[in-house]
Amino acid sequence: MSGPRRRAELARFVTGVCRGVRVRTVAGGWTSATMTGSTRVAQTLDALLDQVAPRLAHGSWAELESALAPWNGEPEAHDDYLPPPAPEPAPTATTVLTVPAQGGLHLYLAAFALGIRTFDHRPVTLHAPHRRAPLHLLAADGRILGAAPEV
């Protein structure tokens, strides 16, 4: 997750989709604070999402996609990056989120990672077809495996 603006957007998004937690950016990561005052530091996106996933307020991909709608409107800055490929053979997966042409991949990635940690452990993909380097990001058993081949 690069850039202070994207990291701040991510903090606001996660605060909005998780119950009873406030996420803020700090140098080198994020903090997540609960209503009781407990505060934890996360230096990576994975660590942050592991911390807040139990508080996700949405229970379906449709609800998460709806929560992403207000954030759409700006094209991705680094749309040529491809994550490492998923291990072979890649399991057959269902596409559960599709990034629109004017959607921020960083927020869709966060929503995808929250959903696979919380309510969907089957093989699923996030599809980003409008990038210079289109991708299907594959996940299974609550973890992102890598880029699946374009079909």
Side-chain angles (χ1 to χ4, degrees):
M1 186 66 51
S2 66
R5 194 188 74 195
R6 278 190 174 72
R7 290 169 20 92
E9 279 180 341
L10 179 90
R12 289 189 302 275
F13 173 72
V14 171
T15 296
V17 298
C18 294
R19 289 185 206 99
V21 67
R22 180 167 176 103
V23 176
R24 294 182 184 201
T25 60
V26 295
W30 295 268
T31 60
S32 62
T34 64
M35 303 290 275
T36 62
S38 169
T39 302
R40 294 166 55 186
V41 176
Q43 293 180 331
T44 66
L45 178 59
D46 274 334
L48 173 65
L49 298 177
D50 284 341
Q51 289 173 10
V52 300
R55 296 177 171 274
L56 181 62
H58 303 291
S60 72
W61 293 113
E63 289 176 15
L64 270 177
E65 198 155 30
S66 179
L68 285 160
W71 296 92
N72 291 334
E74 190 173 316
E76 180 189 354
H78 306 287
D79 67 349
D80 55 349
Y81 169 76
L82 279 175
E88 294 288 334
T92 302
T94 303
T95 299
V96 292
L97 287 177
T98 300
V99 182
Q102 297 297 311
L105 180 63
H106 61 297
L107 298 178
Y108 277 80
L109 175 61
F112 183 66
L114 285 168
I116 63 170
R117 282 169 167 81
T118 307
F119 59 79
D120 200 341
H121 285 205
R122 67 192 166 123
V124 293
T125 64
L126 166 86
H127 188 205
H130 304 289
R131 306 170 77 240
R132 278 187 288 174
L135 67 88
H136 273 92
L137 191 61
L138 177 65
D141 299 319
R143 291 289 170 219
I144 293 174
L145 302 176
E150 278 290 306
V151 287

